[in-house]
């Protein structure tokens, strides 16, 4: 791939130099960006769990009468919990689908913009949207479902203890 890119600009390139000092300053910066991104992801996941938890709590309060009737007819705790847990998982999956759609649209839109602005980046060197979409969809939907499950299990457990 590099040879293909270099052949494309062969008449414009006279000499290639590698400066180790630039690489030594850029690599720690990438490491810092990676750690900050991970911290941001954890913060957003925590906020999503709290939002889903509050939504499920409101739903439980709204359906208090139905839950009381289910307890009177001796419904098991899991029979009462399951709809709320499924609702939390669905909320997480819907949020993940929206996030994946936004990221994919932005990637699709900005890929040509980046390649046109930067001379040293070719469209061939960047990963196509179709390749990244499958893995992105798998990860976001899995994490969205897990966050929805965690966000729904805590208020349901707390309410059913009463």
């Amino acid at each position: 791939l590099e040879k293909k890119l270099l052949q494309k600009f062969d008449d414009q390139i006279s000499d290639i130099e590698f400066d180790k000092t630039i690489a030594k300053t850029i690599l720690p910066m990438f490491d810092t960006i990676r750690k900050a991104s991970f911290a941001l992801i954890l913060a957003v996941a925590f906020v999503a769990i709290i939002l889903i938890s509050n939504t499920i709590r409101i739903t439980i309060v709204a359906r208090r009468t139905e839950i009381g009737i289910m307890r009177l007819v001796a419904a098991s705790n899991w029979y009462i919990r399951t709809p709320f847990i499924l609702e939390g998982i669905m909320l997480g999956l819907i949020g993940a689908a929206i996030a994946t759609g936004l990221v994919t649209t932005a990637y699709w839109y900005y890929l040509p913009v980046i390649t046109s602005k930067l001379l040293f980046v070719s469209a061939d060197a960047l990963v196509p949207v179709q390749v990244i979409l499958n893995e992105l969809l798998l990860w976001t939907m899995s994490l969205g479902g897990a966050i929805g499950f965690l966000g729904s299990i805590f208020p349901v457990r707390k309410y059913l203890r009463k």
Side-chain angles (χ1 to χ4, degrees), residues 147-161:
I147 287 171
F149 176 77
L150 289 174
S152 64
I153 197 77
F154 297 123
V156 169
R157 183 183 301 165
K158 183 178 177 183
Y159 182 79
L160 286 178
R161 283 187 194 149

Side-chain angles (χ1 to χ4, degrees), residues 7 15 17 19 28 72 75 96-97 115 122 128 149:
Q7 288 173 353
D15 190 23
E17 293 182 20
D19 192 2
L72 287 174
T115 56
S122 171
F149 176 77

Side-chain angles (χ1 to χ4, degrees), residues 93 96 100 132-145:
L93 291 175
T100 303
I132 220 168
L133 181 62
N134 292 334
E135 190 168 340
L136 180 69
L137 194 61
L138 174 74
W139 279 102
T140 57
M141 296 305 268
S142 299
L143 289 174

Side-chain angles (χ1 to χ4, degrees), residues 52-109:
I52 290 172
S53 179
N54 285 337
T55 304
I56 297 300
R57 192 171 293 134
I58 290 169
T59 306
I60 289 171
V61 170
R63 295 184 188 159
R64 199 174 30 219
T65 307
E66 290 90 350
I67 293 172
I69 292 169
M70 284 187 219
R71 283 189 173 163
L72 287 174
V73 295
S76 69
N77 279 345
W78 276 108
Y79 187 80
I80 298 170
R81 283 181 190 169
T82 304
F84 299 110
I85 292 172
L86 290 176
E87 184 177 346
I89 291 172
M90 288 303 297
L91 287 172
L93 291 175
I94 290 169
I98 291 170
T100 303
L102 290 174
V103 167
T104 303
T105 304
Y107 193 82
W108 219 317
Y109 175 76

Side-chain angles (χ1 to χ4, degrees), residues 6 8-15 119:
L6 288 177
K8 192 175 185 181
F9 300 105
D10 197 26
D11 57 337
Q12 299 171 359
I13 298 174
S14 61
D15 190 23
L119 296 175

Side-chain angles (χ1 to χ4, degrees), residues 32-44:
T32 305
I33 291 171
R34 186 180 304 119
K35 288 177 184 175
S37 299
F38 187 70
L40 183 66
I41 288 169
L42 287 177
V44 168

